[in-house]
């Protein structure tokens, strides 16, 4: 369980056992994370709120969404690289 999480939702597990997930804090705010081994890498887009990580492939590329500040519609994003 992600430290500080009230609810955790696993969305994807790649063949390297890296887990893409979203978690919710006590205020109900969504955050993203990737679990690798025994570590959680917390991911929040600094340009908004409601970050969620939807999937991770075998190259550790993540795809997710966030809600930009001042907007109500989520936007997608893609991130690359080994964690």
């Amino acid at each position: 369980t992600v430290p500080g999480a009230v609810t955790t939702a696993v969305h994807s597990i790649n063949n390297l056992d890296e887990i893409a997930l979203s978690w919710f804090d006590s205020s109900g705010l969504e955050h993203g994370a990737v679990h690798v081994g025994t570590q959680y890498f917390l991911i929040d887009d600094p340009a908004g709120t409601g970050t969620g990580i939807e999937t991770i492939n075998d190259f550790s590329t993540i795809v997710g969404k966030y809600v930009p500040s001042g907007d109500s519609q989520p936007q997608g994003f893609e991130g690359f690289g080994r964690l």
Side-chain angles (χ1 to χ4, degrees):
T1 301
V2 176
V6 173
T7 304
T8 303
V10 172
H11 297 288
S12 177
I13 303 172
N14 67 16
N15 289 318
L16 304 173
D17 291 328
E18 297 170 331
I19 303 170
L21 58 104
S22 296
W23 62 280
F24 296 84
D25 64 24
S26 60
S27 300
L29 196 60
E30 184 178 11
H31 305 273
V34 174
H35 183 260
V36 179
T38 60
Q39 293 184 297
Y40 286 96
F41 295 89
L42 306 182
I43 302 166
D44 280 309
D45 194 301
T49 60
T51 302
I53 307 303
E54 303 301 323
T55 192
I56 186 167
N57 68 18
D58 291 341
F59 298 102
S60 299
T61 302
I62 59 172
V63 174
K65 54 97 179 152
Y66 74 104
V67 179
S69 296
D71 203 346
S72 61
Q73 296 299 313
Q75 302 292 315
F77 70 86
E78 181 178 37
F80 301 94
R82 291 247 78 41
L83 297 170

